Amino acid sequence: MKGKLYVVATPIGNLDDITLRAINVLKNVDIIIAEDTRHSLKLLNHLEISKPLISYHRHNEEEKSDSILEKIENGKNIALISDAGTPVISDPGEIIVKKALERNIEVIPIPGACAIITALMGAGVKTKKFSFYGFLSINKKIRNKELEEIQKNNNTIILYEAPHKILNTLKDLGKYVGERNIVLARELTKLHEEFIRGNIKEIQEKVNNPKGEYVIIIDGTEEKIEEENDLNNLSLEEHYEYYEKQGLEKKEIIKKIAKDRGVSKNEIYQKFI
Ligand code: SAM
């Protein structure tokens, strides 16, 4: 009988942040595949789990996937873990999961710590819609394209960044994020966990000697737009007052109300006679 591929989230700092289900899966699989086997051994020793380990990282993902999947087809249950957090998210796993599904191998996600979600939980930003960009590209052309896309994106934006590159990334973001509220979530779940808040300039002043791991969050601007869409829930008089307070002329106000409500200017005009 075929085995299964378990994709198991492990802690992002605090070793207690692992689920009972994840521990049970790691105890019961035949093999664990891990990015840096020496690094993962520390966690496995802490959990008193001893299993054969296979190294699986971004440079050998393509080449190792097939031989690992063959072992699953021959009946082995295998768990994929990364150095920290949720595999597949800015970590190896995308290729093996896709190939497993192509071979009709069952893939079972075992959820747990993930830096994106942990950062959002404590950031105090808009969470209705968010976009994750992972690490910005180091290729200048692609990076500029990503930054331009971020500038136009009203959602809350989440980025990962390495400590030695964070100052440079903040500098680049400075040209694109205007006055948007930024939160740096640093060393999540660890002793020196910290949330640094402010606009990009304030953040740059606060971070001069970056140490540890960082998630960058750029707060969304979407609610403002939604608020404006909500104008249609106002009475016509209230809708009129909203634009009047902005100092607009009657003609301009009628034009705007008609546009908001998707009706003709004449229809609105008649109501105000
Ligand atoms: N797959 C992992 C996840 O989503 O949980 C992330 C792996 S990615 C290679 C590593 C990046 O995640 C770091 O550079 C940092 O941006 C973020 N990260 C991971 N652990 C973190 C922590 N404890 N505090 C803040 N950021 C963290």
Side-chain angles (χ1 to χ4, degrees), residues 34-180:
E35 273 186 282
D36 177 346
T37 50
R38 273 191 311 183
H39 178 95
S40 291
L41 254 184
K42 286 183 207 150
L43 172 72
L44 296 171
N45 286 341
H46 172 78
L47 298 171
E48 296 179 350
I49 295 173
S50 169
K51 293 282 164 183
L53 288 173
I54 296 180
S55 113
Y56 180 81
H57 45 76
R58 67 183 73 257
H59 303 296
N60 68 9
E61 247 189 302
E62 191 73 53
E63 134 207 354
K64 280 258 175 107
S65 291
D66 290 321
S67 62
I68 293 167
L69 293 171
E70 271 159 33
K71 291 189 199 312
I72 299 180
E73 279 169 339
N74 290 328
K76 301 282 186 215
N77 285 309
I78 295 191
L80 165 69
I81 59 175
S82 43
D83 282 353
T86 300
V88 179
I89 306 298
S90 296
D91 264 341
E94 198 178 301
I95 292 174
I96 197 164
V97 167
K98 194 159 177 279
K99 287 191 173 198
L101 296 173
E102 281 163 8
R103 291 176 177 232
N104 285 325
I105 290 172
E106 198 176 342
V107 176
I108 303 181
I110 310 292
C114 179
I116 306 168
I117 304 299
T118 313
L120 279 179
M121 285 161 80
V125 295
K126 296 175 197 70
T127 52
K128 191 173 166 200
K129 290 184 186 172
F130 56 87
S131 304
F132 175 59
Y133 284 78
F135 294 92
L136 287 179
S137 174
I138 49 168
N139 173 305
K140 223 173 164 192
K141 211 169 152 199
I142 302 175
R143 188 177 175 94
N144 284 342
K145 248 182 136 183
E146 287 170 336
L147 287 163
E148 281 164 18
E149 204 182 302
I150 287 171
Q151 186 177 37
K152 290 188 212 134
N153 190 336
N154 292 319
N155 296 348
T156 287
I157 310 281
I158 303 157
L159 300 169
Y160 282 166
E161 193 49 284
H164 64 284
K165 292 189 186 155
I166 195 129
L167 291 179
N168 189 40
T169 296
L170 290 174
K171 194 168 141 222
D172 286 351
L173 282 171
K175 299 173 207 148
Y176 294 88
V177 296
E179 280 303 301
R180 279 170 82 165

Side-chain angles (χ1 to χ4, degrees), residues 231 234-250 253-254 257 260-261 272:
L231 289 174
L234 300 176
S235 71
L236 258 188
E237 287 71 23
E238 288 166 335
H239 202 159
Y240 191 95
E241 269 172 35
Y242 174 85
Y243 285 126
E244 200 174 32
K245 277 191 197 141
Q246 293 179 10
L248 299 184
E249 298 288 327
K250 185 174 179 181
I253 295 177
I254 287 176
I257 296 177
D260 290 344
R261 297 188 176 225
F272 280 109

